Amino acid sequence: MNIAEGELFSDALMKEVKSRFHYVDHDMNGRERLFFDNAGGSFRLKAAVDQFARIDALPDCPERIHELAIFLQEVQVRGTEDLRTILNAKSGSVYASLTASGGMFDMVRAVAENIPGTNMVTTVLEHPSSFDAMSLYAERTGKELRVAKSNPATGGIDVEEIVGLVDENTSLLSVIYASNISGAKLDIHEIVKQARAVKPDLYIVVDAVQHAPHGLIDLQKTPVDGLNIAPYKFFGCRGSGMSWLSERASVLPHHKLAGKKKDFWDLGSAAPWQFAVVTEIVNYVCWLGGRFIASDDRRTLFASGIQSIELHERALLARMLNGSEGIAGLRRMDGVKVFLDHEDLTKRDLILAIGIENLEHAQAVREYEKRGVIVYERVATSLYSKRMLHSFGLEGAVRVSPLHCNSATDIDRFLKVTREISEAFGQVRARVA
């Protein structure tokens, strides 16, 4: 196996994987399509959707003592432990909120308002939920906001660029795990290690929303103070954000009911389905991991499953970029530009930013849709894209984000559609010229 190029699932396993998700090959109206916008919200596990409906249908309040109330308490306990399984978290608190963005604002606020310092550090590639939270609370607390620049050659942020902004007066460092435009993974392990060498008690929060479905997170190796994920981008359901806080971060002053424990973060009545969905995500990844190793340990199986996803997706990424026999990859396709194209695929998640020559990005997205392919335009007029794109010197791109549920055949079909669009508009350009 070539780790650098990844390894595809077998045909038999690919069939099983697809069967566990809704709408992988067809939309809700039965029309064939390729959904390559999983960075905006991933394919849903059938089991997660079923559990959402089953658990949320119950009128019972988990803060009661009757049978079904106790059952719902157990659902929450399992889901809490399963978030710990995802993160390899041995301690700390789990916080369920309406969105991952809301969780990030709350974590940033708790640190910014309560930890002394003169500055806060973040990166230009952050999602608005973390960047705007840092901006807001830096202003409110009178701290300087320092912003690490991106590297257009890698599509990410260099470790030294971030660490160089940290000093003994930094109260909080907020970093994204992977870019949601380029797919570039930040070296969180080195960032944490080197930043804490500068300031040993530095608080660090991480936005792992984009990265969590694609690669393994291990808080024992990267001991941060806060981290969030979004189940709807991780095979789960919308309307839920899940966060984890370290022991010291969880007891910082925050919004909570006075009678609750100091490290408790949930507000209002619990929604047990949120926890049930997390458990189904972990069940699925463990099932997949069990196809490659034998183990009775849930974290071990989960790690195996995520690592197999990572390898399969890397193989899909390599196929998109380099093509296969008889099909040119994006790197060699006339009229197509791969932006932020870094050679080392081990440092990238399955997200690509591309452009089609002389075709406006939103128009390209519409041309893909006409041919049964869903992608997304990232353009500088969008509040979700402008800051990041401009840091790379770009005005826009077409973002392509398949998932491990996709096969090599799906990638080949995408390449054929891309070539068709490029050739069609190449002919138009030639006639105009």
Side-chain angles (χ1 to χ4, degrees):
M1 177 177 64
N2 184 347
I3 295 294
E5 294 291 317
E7 184 176 26
L8 292 169
F9 293 155
S10 69
D11 290 344
L13 181 55
M14 190 75 254
K15 185 176 180 180
E16 284 191 76
V17 166
K18 285 197 174 196
S19 72
R20 290 172 179 256
F21 288 82
H22 284 293
Y23 306 128
V24 178
D25 297 316
H26 299 81
D27 68 13
M28 64 182 290
N29 298 309
R31 295 173 298 200
E32 286 190 16
R33 75 168 184 174
L34 291 178
F35 184 80
F36 278 16
D37 187 26
N38 288 279
S42 75
F43 290 121
R44 307 288 195 257
L45 276 166
K46 293 176 180 177
V49 175
D50 289 347
Q51 279 293 77
F52 179 177
R54 174 175 175 256
I55 299 299
D56 201 44
L58 297 176
D60 304 77
C61 174
E63 296 187 12
R64 302 291 187 266
I65 61 172
H66 64 276
E67 180 183 357
L68 284 182
I70 294 171
F71 163 72
L72 292 176
Q73 293 168 23
E74 293 169 349
V75 167
Q76 290 178 221
V77 169
R78 283 196 299 272
T80 297
E81 289 308 308
D82 279 329
L83 185 65
R84 298 182 191 280
T85 297
I86 292 172
L87 305 177
N88 200 21
K90 306 299 185 184
S91 59
S93 295
V94 169
Y95 171 32
S97 56
L98 180 63
T99 65
S101 295
M104 178 58 72
F105 265 83
D106 289 342
M107 290 189 291
V108 168
R109 176 183 182 177
V111 177
E113 290 186 339
N114 295 288
I115 300 303
T118 60
N119 69 80
M120 297 160 60
V121 176
T122 190
T123 85
V124 73
L125 295 187
E126 302 303 304
H127 185 275
S129 61
S130 50
F131 191 90
D132 292 355
M134 292 287 284
S135 299
L136 174 65
Y137 289 107
E139 181 178 358
R140 286 190 178 180
T141 58
K143 296 182 175 73
E144 174 194 3
L145 182 64
R146 298 176 177 178
V147 181
K149 299 175 182 178
S150 64
N151 182 339
T154 65
I157 310 276
D158 297 336
V159 173
E160 55 270 24
E161 171 66 21
I162 297 172
V163 176
L165 299 179
V166 174
D167 61 29
E168 61 182 8
N169 294 311
T170 302
S171 62
L172 174 61
L173 168 62
S174 174
V175 295
I176 195 168
Y177 219 118
S179 168
N180 58 20
I181 289 182
S182 69
K185 294 184 286 189
L186 276 64
D187 191 341
I188 299 297
H189 180 267
E190 278 301 310
I191 291 168
V192 171
K193 177 183 175 183
Q194 293 187 31
R196 291 256 175 80
V198 175
K199 184 178 182 181
D201 62 348
L202 178 66
Y203 278 76
I204 303 173
V205 297
V206 175
D207 174 357
V209 169
Q210 200 66 67
H211 175 66
H214 305 291
L216 192 63
I217 297 169
D218 190 343
L219 291 179
Q220 301 310 301
K221 295 180 179 179
T222 55
V224 299
D225 291 286
L227 183 146
N228 66 343
I229 69 169
Y232 83 96
K233 291 190 179 183
F234 198 170
F235 328 144
C237 303
R238 287 191 185 275
S240 175
M242 303 297 292
S243 303
W244 172 89
L245 298 106
S246 68
E247 288 187 15
R248 65 173 184 165
S250 67
V251 296
L252 292 174
H254 58 276
H255 289 156
K256 76 175 192 68
L257 300 182
K260 297 289 186 179
K261 294 180 180 179
K262 288 184 177 181
D263 63 354
F264 190 79
W265 278 62
D266 290 10
L267 282 171
S269 298
W273 69 261
Q274 291 182 281
F275 299 88
V277 166
V278 170
T279 290
E280 290 304 330
I281 292 168
V282 176
N283 284 346
Y284 165 74
V285 177
C286 287
W287 165 80
L288 188 56
R291 301 299 300 266
F292 296 92
I293 64 168
S295 177
D296 294 326
D297 180 73
R298 197 158 170 81
R299 169 65 185 185
T300 301
L301 287 171
F302 180 86
S304 171
I306 283 290
Q307 287 163 349
S308 71
I309 285 172
E310 184 177 24
L311 288 173
H312 177 72
E313 291 188 344
R314 189 175 301 155
L316 295 181
L317 179 59
R319 197 177 186 99
M320 273 206 297
L321 290 168
N322 302 322
S324 58
E325 188 175 350
I327 303 175
L330 296 173
R331 284 172 169 164
R332 301 194 308 274
M333 197 173 291
D334 291 340
V336 175
K337 172 68 174 177
V338 180
F339 300 120
L340 312 168
D341 184 17
H342 192 260
E343 287 291 334
D344 187 351
L345 302 189
T346 66
K347 296 181 179 180
R348 299 174 62 173
D349 285 336
L350 184 55
I351 299 174
L352 274 178
I354 68 171
I356 297 179
E357 188 178 332
N358 294 328
L359 186 59
E360 192 270 328
H361 302 299
Q363 185 182 359
V365 168
R366 288 190 287 270
E367 291 299 324
Y368 274 111
E369 184 183 9
K370 291 177 184 177
R371 294 161 175 82
V373 179
I374 302 299
V375 289
Y376 176 54
E377 74 278 9
R378 298 302 301 258
V379 291
T381 54
S382 166
L383 67 90
Y384 290 101
S385 307
K386 180 178 181 178
R387 171 174 26 86
M388 299 86 111
L389 286 169
H390 281 178
S391 80
F392 293 131
L394 298 173
E395 286 299 319
V398 174
R399 185 177 68 185
V400 184
S401 53
L403 202 65
H404 75 278
C405 312
N406 292 114
S407 65
T409 301
D410 295 333
I411 299 301
D412 293 347
R413 180 182 164 198
F414 170 78
L415 292 174
K416 290 176 182 177
V417 168
T418 303
R419 183 178 61 194
E420 178 184 324
I421 294 172
S422 179
E423 288 177 350
F425 282 85
Q427 292 169 4
V428 170
R429 292 190 296 271
R431 287 197 297 270
V432 172

